[in-house]
Amino acid sequence: MACYRCAKTEKTEIDGRKYCFDCGVDIALVLLRDAGIHDHTIQTLAMVCSKQPVPTEHHYSATDIGNELGLSAQKIGRLANKHKLKTRKFGEWRLTTALYSAKQVESFYYNDQGKAQIELLVKHEKTKTTAISR
């Protein structure tokens, strides 16, 4: 049988229709986007599926940064949300496994620039708090 979309040789079946590998991947990517998965995560999945190396620099989780600064990961996340730091400039979204379940979740990982920005904001907040308490 031929692929339902492009008439190439079929390899996989989705919703009862037979597709070639390329069309199957295209459909899967559309479904992921429709499910609200971030584009960067989808691009990374596509690279993994095509066995391409995924380029990345060193990144830090909110937990890593929080441990260094003596703060909780939740505090780091709230600070990043408040200052709109969860962008490609400051890091990337990754699919991870939730801490206390097997559920897949998207987590933001900060690059060196994002980590430095958070450190600066924490230092600024501590300075503000010290000035108020005097």
Side-chain angles (χ1 to χ4, degrees):
M1 296 273 318
C3 173
Y4 181 79
R5 283 178 67 194
C6 72
K8 289 183 190 173
T9 305
E10 68 182 63
K11 300 262 188 208
T12 190
E13 187 173 322
I14 301 171
D15 290 335
R17 294 186 175 139
K18 304 208 182 265
Y19 296 95
C20 66
F21 178 80
D22 292 335
C23 291
V25 169
D26 287 345
I27 291 167
L29 294 175
V30 168
L31 292 173
L32 288 169
R33 191 166 291 115
D34 289 349
I37 305 295
H38 284 87
D39 282 340
H40 186 268
T41 303
I42 293 170
Q43 290 168 356
T44 303
L45 286 170
M47 292 178 85
V48 169
C49 286
S50 63
K51 296 184 170 102
Q52 294 178 20
V54 178
T56 187
E57 56 187 284
H58 186 72
H59 285 78
Y60 310 87
S61 68
T63 302
D64 297 334
I65 296 171
N67 287 342
E68 272 187 42
L69 301 176
L71 300 170
S72 70
Q74 292 79 9
K75 173 70 175 171
I76 299 299
R78 285 193 304 271
L79 192 60
N81 288 337
K82 179 180 176 182
H83 295 280
K84 297 179 177 26
L85 298 182
K86 293 183 180 180
T87 64
R88 296 213 49 191
K89 179 178 178 182
F90 297 114
E92 65 187 25
W93 289 96
R94 296 182 180 176
L95 274 179
T96 59
T97 304
L99 192 56
Y100 298 107
S101 73
K103 183 178 165 185
Q104 289 274 302
V105 295
E106 283 188 296
S107 300
F108 194 78
Y109 281 76
Y110 303 88
N111 59 22
D112 290 327
Q113 191 175 357
K115 181 181 175 203
Q117 190 68 30
I118 287 176
E119 289 169 344
L120 186 67
L121 290 168
V122 168
K123 183 177 178 182
H124 182 266
E125 277 196 359
K126 284 183 180 178
T127 304
K128 230 170 47 174
T129 304
T130 305
I132 291 170
S133 63
R134 287 183 186 178

